[in-house]
């Protein structure tokens, strides 16, 4: 890869520091002074409208942030990803989850050069997609299968679970989907109580078919299946894995693979998305891919100034490194999107929670914020107190849907009114009251709006979030596509597990040894 300067090594970074020190906008005054502020700081992207006008930015800071992006070579780094270059430098891998969303027609003579560079991979993608969708339709048509249990963890769980819940209005009747990730047996046991072997299909999602939590759950599921009269493991178990040989030893003959250029947190577009395809059908899954592809094309081709993932990613850098905000709260005003905050936690914090740059140098600035949240009206009665009157300023990202998927009267108007009111209250505050009733206001928020929550719009929303994470990671000069931080705890757990049986505490620190003793007592 060509050298790209890190954000703090650019002249734009110094200019942004000076701009920040000169003072930041008071949003109430900014709207009063500029009747066109809403138009200037909002935009329509594919299937997602974004209002950024209640953020602590002005024309000057926005222009400097675009300068920063250019000086950091953001466009070149983006183009390298879309060309299939090995931008995951620590693992020497391409990053091509976007290819999973490309239609087969992208191979025609008018295809961009970037697609032509990865034509063989795209052919493989569509062969696997066709096989996976055919299997999904087969399961949907099988009246004997009423329960589908997806066993996976991390990206093999969070993305599919979030999407299946979000698209429940499009789900096939007569099919119940369950998700098991935790190695805590209570989770699996709770699911199995609601299932019967002859009516259950287990999907084992593990790229290597060796993931400890997933394989522990898979083996317990197989024992339960056999102990309760289940027959024909090959019919009732399928694997989403590249390790076909080990899956075969388990008794599984139906497998769907994916590639090393698909990171776990970006894998719901691959065979890992099989539970989504079973829930919403082949046509729905193609719509899901199409929505994401539309956002890919927007990110790939739109000028920086009108590129929504870029604008969001730059805003994230502005807040993290200049304002010093340490977290971002996600408030979906849609019960169907209730797992979106958990999904985004992995997407952003596993991608950008890094302390060294791509060359291994310790960073002198902060990277990923902490992401957290709950569905909006629930959050209002829990943690919004802190958002409005707490000592920390926390940018809030509200996600709303214009048209509901239900026909219950009066509900949706109240829901949308609350979303608008919270964003307004965060910005305006309440200055004419003292003491406990004083709201400082000038607290930033972003408002993302979907016309409807459909497979297409959800695909676009997820791809938007993926690309904004790419943008901030690119400016910070980090590798957003590895996750070495998850490894150390796994290694230590393998050492500790036999000690729980033997009681051997040799070489352990005092705290771990003491806790081990308590657990054995």
């Amino acid at each position: 890869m060509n050298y790209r300067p890190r954000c703090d090594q650019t002249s734009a970074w110094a200019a942004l520091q000076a701009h920040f020190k000169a003072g930041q906008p008071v949003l109430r005054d900014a709207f009063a002074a500029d009747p066109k502020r809403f138009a200037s700081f909002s935009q329509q992207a594919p299937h997602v409208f974004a209002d950024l006008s209640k953020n602590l930015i002005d024309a000057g800071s926005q222009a400097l942030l675009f300068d920063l992006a250019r000086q950091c070579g953001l466009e070149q780094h983006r183009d390298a990803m879309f060309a299939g270059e090995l931008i995951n430098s620590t693992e020497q891998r391409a990053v091509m989850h976007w290819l999973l969303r490309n239609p087969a027609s992208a191979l025609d003579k008018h295809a961009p050069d970037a697609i032509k560079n990865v034509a063989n991979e795209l052919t493989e993608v569509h062969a696997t997609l066709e096989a996976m969708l055919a299997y999904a339709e087969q399961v949907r048509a099988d009246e004997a299968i009423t329960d589908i249990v997806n066993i996976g963890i991390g990206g093999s769980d969070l993305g599919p679970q979030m999407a299946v819940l979000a698209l429940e209005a499009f789900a096939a009747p007569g099919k119940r989907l369950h998700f098991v990730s935790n190695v805590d047996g209570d989770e699996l046991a709770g699911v199995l109580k609601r299932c019967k072997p002859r009516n259950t299909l287990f999907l084992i999602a593990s790229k290597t078919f060796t993931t400890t939590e997933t394989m522990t759950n898979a083996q317990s599921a197989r024992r339960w299946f056999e102990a309760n009269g289940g027959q024909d493991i090959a019919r009732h178990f399928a694997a989403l894995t590249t390790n076909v040989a080990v899956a075969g030893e388990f008794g599984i003959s139906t497998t769907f693979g994916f590639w090393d250029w698909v990171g776990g947190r970006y894998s719901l577009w691959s065979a890992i998305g099989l539970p989504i395809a079973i829930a919403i059908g082949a046509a729905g899954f193609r719509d899901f891919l199409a929505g994401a592809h539309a956002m890919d094309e927007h990110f790939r081709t739109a000028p920086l100034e009108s590129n929504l993932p870029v604008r969001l990613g730059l805003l994230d850098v502005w807040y993290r490194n200049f304002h010093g905000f340490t977290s971002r709260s996600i408030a979906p005003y849609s019960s169907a999107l209730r797992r979106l905050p958990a999904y985004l936690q992995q997407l952003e914090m596993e991608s950008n929670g890094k302390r060294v740059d791509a060359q291994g140098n310790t960073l002198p600035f902060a990277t990923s914020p902490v992401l957290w949240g709950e569905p909006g009206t629930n959050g209002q009665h829990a943690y919004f107190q802190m958002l409005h009157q707490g000592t920390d300023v926390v940018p809030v990202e509200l996600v709303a849907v214009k048209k509901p998927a239900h026909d219950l009267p009066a509900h949706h108007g109240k829901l949308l009114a609350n979303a608008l009111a919270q964003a307004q209250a965060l910005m305006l505050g309440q200055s004419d009251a003292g003491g406990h009733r004083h709201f400082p206001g000038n607290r930033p928020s972003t408002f993302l709006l979907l016309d409807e929550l459909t497979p297409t719009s959800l695909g676009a929303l997820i791809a938007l979030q993926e690309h904004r994470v790419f943008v901030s990671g690119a400016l910070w000069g980090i590798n957003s596509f590895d996750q070495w931080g998850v490894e150390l705890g796994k290694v230590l757990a393998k050492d500790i597990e036999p000690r729980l049986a033997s009681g051997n505490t040799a070489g352990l620190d005092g705290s771990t040894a003491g806790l081990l003793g308590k657990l054995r007592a």
Side-chain angles (χ1 to χ4, degrees):
M1 290 190 304
N2 293 329
Y3 171 75
R4 295 180 300 109
R6 205 173 63 193
C7 55
D8 59 324
Q9 299 167 345
T10 65
S11 60
W13 185 266
L16 281 162
Q17 289 175 321
H19 185 82
F20 177 78
K21 290 177 181 177
Q24 293 308 299
V26 175
L27 292 172
R28 182 196 295 264
D29 297 342
F31 275 97
D34 181 7
K36 296 182 179 179
R37 181 174 173 84
F38 174 76
S40 300
F41 292 97
S42 63
Q43 77 166 91
Q44 180 70 52
H47 310 291
V48 182
F49 177 82
D51 173 22
L52 310 182
S53 64
K54 294 191 189 74
N55 281 291
L56 301 175
I57 50 175
D58 54 26
S61 56
Q62 185 167 251
L64 288 170
L65 286 166
F66 290 134
D67 288 345
L68 180 67
R70 290 191 169 93
Q71 290 178 21
C72 290
L74 173 63
E75 292 157 304
Q76 292 83 354
H77 196 50
R78 174 200 62 193
D79 294 346
M81 178 180 72
F82 282 109
E85 295 183 21
L86 306 183
I87 66 167
N88 178 351
S89 54
T90 59
E91 297 176 303
Q92 284 299 293
R93 293 174 179 171
V95 173
M96 295 200 295
H97 51 276
W98 54 271
L99 192 66
L100 300 167
R101 285 109 66 149
N102 262 265
S105 59
L107 290 169
D108 66 25
K109 63 182 180 181
H110 301 296
D113 289 340
I115 296 298
K116 293 175 183 176
N117 292 341
V118 291
N120 291 338
E121 288 86 347
L122 185 56
T123 299
E124 292 178 12
V125 162
H126 278 275
T128 302
L129 176 64
E130 294 299 327
M132 188 265 280
L133 293 181
Y135 180 73
E137 289 298 320
Q138 177 185 325
V139 173
R140 285 165 60 87
D142 188 341
E143 294 182 359
I145 298 297
T146 58
D147 291 88
I148 297 93
V149 181
N150 187 84
I151 297 178
I153 197 166
S156 300
D157 169 76
L158 288 166
Q161 182 182 171
M162 177 272 293
V164 166
L165 290 172
L167 300 175
E168 192 171 10
F170 298 83
K175 304 293 183 189
R176 298 186 301 176
L177 282 99
H178 314 272
F179 291 85
V180 174
S181 59
N182 202 320
V183 76
D184 182 347
D186 281 342
E187 183 170 62
L188 178 61
V191 169
L192 295 179
K193 286 178 182 177
R194 305 194 294 273
C195 298
K196 296 178 180 179
R198 67 178 180 273
N199 303 122
T200 303
L201 170 67
F202 292 94
L203 305 178
I204 314 303
S206 173
K207 191 176 205 176
T208 62
F209 221 69
T210 59
T211 308
T212 299
E213 298 90 342
T214 299
M215 296 318 301
T216 300
N217 282 321
Q219 288 155 4
S220 294
R222 184 176 64 180
R223 283 194 295 271
W224 169 87
F225 179 80
E226 293 173 333
N228 288 275
Q231 298 178 349
D232 195 356
I233 286 178
R235 166 171 159 73
H236 289 273
F237 284 75
L240 317 177
T241 184
T242 55
N243 198 341
V244 176
V246 177
E249 293 171 7
F250 188 94
I252 294 175
S253 58
T254 301
T255 62
F256 301 97
F258 44 107
W259 302 268
D260 65 3
W261 42 259
V262 181
R265 54 192 174 275
Y266 299 91
S267 64
L268 79 170
W269 318 101
S270 71
I272 292 295
L274 178 57
I276 308 171
I278 292 173
I280 65 176
F285 195 80
R286 291 186 193 281
D287 289 343
F288 181 58
L289 298 177
H293 177 62
M295 190 61 73
D296 292 340
E297 287 299 284
H298 169 73
F299 179 54
R300 188 177 69 83
T301 63
L304 297 187
E305 287 77 9
S306 57
N307 193 309
L308 185 55
V310 171
R311 295 179 76 178
L312 288 173
L314 292 175
L315 186 62
D316 295 340
V317 171
W318 178 236
Y319 282 160
R320 190 73 181 102
N321 299 121
F322 297 90
H323 286 267
F325 299 152
T326 58
S327 76
R328 181 166 77 250
S329 183
I330 311 298
Y333 276 77
S334 165
S335 178
L337 291 172
R338 58 191 176 276
R339 291 295 288 168
L340 181 65
Y343 169 75
L344 294 179
Q345 281 180 335
Q346 186 199 19
L347 176 63
E348 183 143 355
M349 294 164 69
E350 192 170 81
S351 295
N352 288 347
K354 312 288 171 61
R355 58 180 294 277
V356 298
D357 65 18
Q359 286 71 46
N361 302 308
T362 301
L363 292 169
F365 51 77
T367 56
S368 174
V370 175
L371 264 67
W372 55 281
E374 281 286 324
T377 52
N378 296 13
Q380 289 174 208
H381 293 268
Y383 58 81
F384 270 53
Q385 162 65 41
M386 187 198 77
L387 297 179
H388 287 290
Q389 290 186 308
T391 54
D392 289 317
V393 175
V394 179
V396 181
E397 192 156 291
L398 303 99
V399 185
V401 180
K402 183 177 177 182
K403 299 175 185 176
H406 62 81
D407 57 4
L408 298 175
H411 286 255
H412 204 60
K414 288 181 172 63
L415 180 71
L416 293 178
N418 272 276
L420 291 171
Q422 291 299 320
Q424 184 184 36
L426 286 164
M427 178 186 73
L428 296 178
Q430 183 170 280
S431 58
D432 57 354
H436 299 291
R437 295 184 180 274
H438 175 75
F439 290 65
N442 214 44
R443 303 208 160 183
S445 68
T446 296
F447 202 106
L448 301 180
L449 180 63
L450 312 180
D451 277 347
E452 296 180 83
L453 183 55
T454 65
T456 306
S457 64
L458 180 65
L461 177 65
I462 297 169
L464 169 66
Q465 299 290 347
E466 289 178 346
H467 294 319
R468 71 142 1 130
V469 169
F470 175 94
V471 169
S472 54
L475 267 63
W476 287 325
I478 61 180
N479 180 3
S480 298
F481 301 101
D482 62 13
Q483 53 281 328
W484 300 107
V486 307
E487 299 300 326
L488 179 58
K490 293 180 182 179
V491 173
L492 295 179
K494 288 180 180 178
D495 173 66
I496 290 173
E497 185 176 357
R499 293 174 183 266
L500 284 165
S502 69
N504 177 18
T505 60
L508 294 180
D509 62 90
S511 173
T512 304
L515 289 169
L516 191 146
K518 284 286 187 184
L519 289 168
R520 283 178 47 81

